[in-house]
Amino acid sequence: MDLTSSHAPDPNTSTTPGWSRALWATLVVLCGVLFLDALDVSMVGMALPSIQQDLHLSTGQLQWVVSGYVLGYGGLLLLGGRAADLLGRRRVLLIALSVFVVASALGGLATSATLLVIARFIKGASAAFTAPAAFSIITTTFAEGPARNRALSIFSTVGASGFSLGLVLGGLLTELGWRWTFLLPAPVALGVVLAARRFVPRERHQRSAGGYDLPGAVTVSAAMLALVRTVVTAPDQGWGSLSTVGGFVIAGALLAAFVTIELNSPHPLVRLGILRSGSLVRANLASMALFGSYIGFQFIGTLYLQSLLGWSSLQAALAFLPAGVVVALGSTRIAPLIDRYGTPRLLVVAFTSLTAGYALFLRLGSTPSYVGLILPTMVLLGVGFAIGFPSLNVQAASGVADEEQGLASGLLNTSFQVGGAFGLAVVAAVVTGRTGSSHASAAVLSGFRDGILVATAVGVLGLAVSLTGWVRGPSRAAGIAAARLTPATELAEELYASDPA
């Protein structure tokens, strides 16, 4: 059962200044979960060139270090969201965080690319359960409106801060050895586990019984894996080869099987009726474009600065840092804008900024100007993320019943990760197809430019999706609803006071 009570709280005590210390402590711990995820992703991103050199990987092989995590994350997020709704969000959060600790240590001790990718997949799978659990605890504790908007804005800001800190830490740790970027998240995750046990309140009742739709989880994960693998290997096999065509057919058949399973399952992984919400569908499509374009850009940008220009990992991290700083500072001011203007308008602004940043980076050359090229690109991307990420979180949660918040969160995060996996696969395929086995600077630079062009095109698609939401009329801003906390807020305080463990 969700955290609910039989009476509504006094609206006069529901504004954010009235949040108790118990609620703040719970929110801080949940923000720590996102901080950990963002920290891990950005640190590993900075270590990619060192990993490639140490393990002698091609560009196509290297992208699996990122895609392994993304596949585990995106492939199991729907199951993670459903498990949070059925098993209990706190329980799922604690178990998955514990697995994250172990997977982090395994990644740092891996002695081959295969073992490294397996460890990354396991870590991504564990994050697939922590993300929807943390997100749905927030959305079922803070009511739709200014309270939830501010909570999600803080949530997003902490994630951006983790990403920014991860860039610098990743650069510093890679100077010591890339393995440290895998080992450091282990003690951080352990600290979050202990804090969650202390500050995230227990649910009063066991959740209702239900199924977990393992066939659905298996088919959608297999479909994603088949699709990404096919795109990555297509340049070597040939786009019209039997292997490539067969891979796309298999991926399509698995997706069709997934839909059939969901339509006939008594406990579907995804209740397809939830997709009747136009705002939710647009949020998911836009999130695919947001993360797909950026992951591809980051992959190329890191290799460009370190492998082609010869920058150190720390120099590359500092080059990316302005984007994270802009997000960390800007996200705190987005909630009032969402209340006033609604998410559709803000998403148009966000994708306009992102697309402009990618397009500007098409001017990359062998002797780039930091002030004239890299810095303005990072600022534009930071503005886009600062506005877009919290807006997508609010739009996806808006109007969804409490008992399906885990599913809505799983869908949104799956879209982020599917978009990231597919975007990265396409970009890596384009770069590999353009450069082949050549290591000449001109050929590599041309391949990088084609990859950035793909990221720009994906950003344009995200802008088009956002424009359709604006044209249909701005959806109800999350703050239009009554600004009050859910009854879950009162119960969370009561449970925390009686049993903080």
Side-chain angles (χ1 to χ4, degrees), residues 283-293 392 414-416 418-420 422 458:
N284 280 271
L285 291 174
S287 67
M288 292 177 69
L290 181 76
F291 208 55
S293 61
L392 288 170
T414 295
S415 294
F416 273 118
V418 168
F422 191 69
V458 175

Side-chain angles (χ1 to χ4, degrees), residues 304 360-361 363-365 368-378:
Y304 169 65
L360 177 62
F361 205 72
R363 297 170 48 239
L364 78 170
S369 166
Y370 180 79
V371 175
L373 175 67
I374 299 174
L375 179 60
T377 294
M378 296 305 170

Side-chain angles (χ1 to χ4, degrees), residues 48-49 100 122 143 172 187 234 241 262 288 342 384 432 471:
L48 288 176
F100 194 96
I122 295 173
L172 288 171
S241 68
E262 300 312 285
M288 292 177 69
T432 301
V471 169

Side-chain angles (χ1 to χ4, degrees), residues 42-114:
S42 59
M43 285 199 304
V44 173
M46 288 298 103
L48 288 176
S50 295
I51 295 172
Q52 182 179 32
Q53 183 177 11
D54 189 32
L55 299 180
H56 308 291
L57 305 178
S58 67
T59 300
Q61 291 172 323
L62 182 65
Q63 68 92 21
W64 279 104
V65 175
V66 178
S67 292
Y69 180 90
V70 171
L71 285 171
Y73 199 166
L76 295 175
L77 263 169
L78 296 178
L79 182 61
R82 182 63 173 158
D85 289 336
L86 293 173
L87 293 176
R89 295 168 182 121
R90 182 181 185 272
R91 178 186 302 170
V92 167
L93 187 69
L94 291 174
I95 294 174
L97 279 172
S98 300
V99 175
F100 194 96
V101 173
V102 176
S104 296
L106 290 176
L109 299 175
T111 56
S112 69
T114 300

Side-chain angles (χ1 to χ4, degrees), residues 59 75 80 137 166 177-178 197 231 233 240 259 279 289 349 381 419 429 431 451 453 460:
T59 300
I137 289 173
W178 61 264
R197 287 180 59 85
V231 172
T233 58
V259 173
S279 62
V349 174
L381 298 186
V431 172
L453 187 60
V460 171

Side-chain angles (χ1 to χ4, degrees), residues 21 34 90 376:
R21 284 182 295 177
L34 182 62
R90 182 181 185 272

Side-chain angles (χ1 to χ4, degrees), residues 326-339:
V326 170
V327 176
L329 296 177
S331 294
T332 59
R333 294 169 171 79
I334 301 304
L337 296 179
I338 293 175
D339 295 335

Side-chain angles (χ1 to χ4, degrees), residues 23 25 27 112 121 137 178 182 185 192 198 204 251 258 277 294 319 338-339 348 365 379 381 400 426 431 447 467:
L23 280 176
L27 180 59
S112 69
F121 179 86
I137 289 173
W178 61 264
F182 289 82
V192 176
R198 174 69 175 82
R204 172 174 289 177
F258 171 70
S277 170
Y294 180 75
I338 293 175
D339 295 335
V348 169
V379 170
L381 298 186
V400 177
V426 172
V431 172
L467 283 170

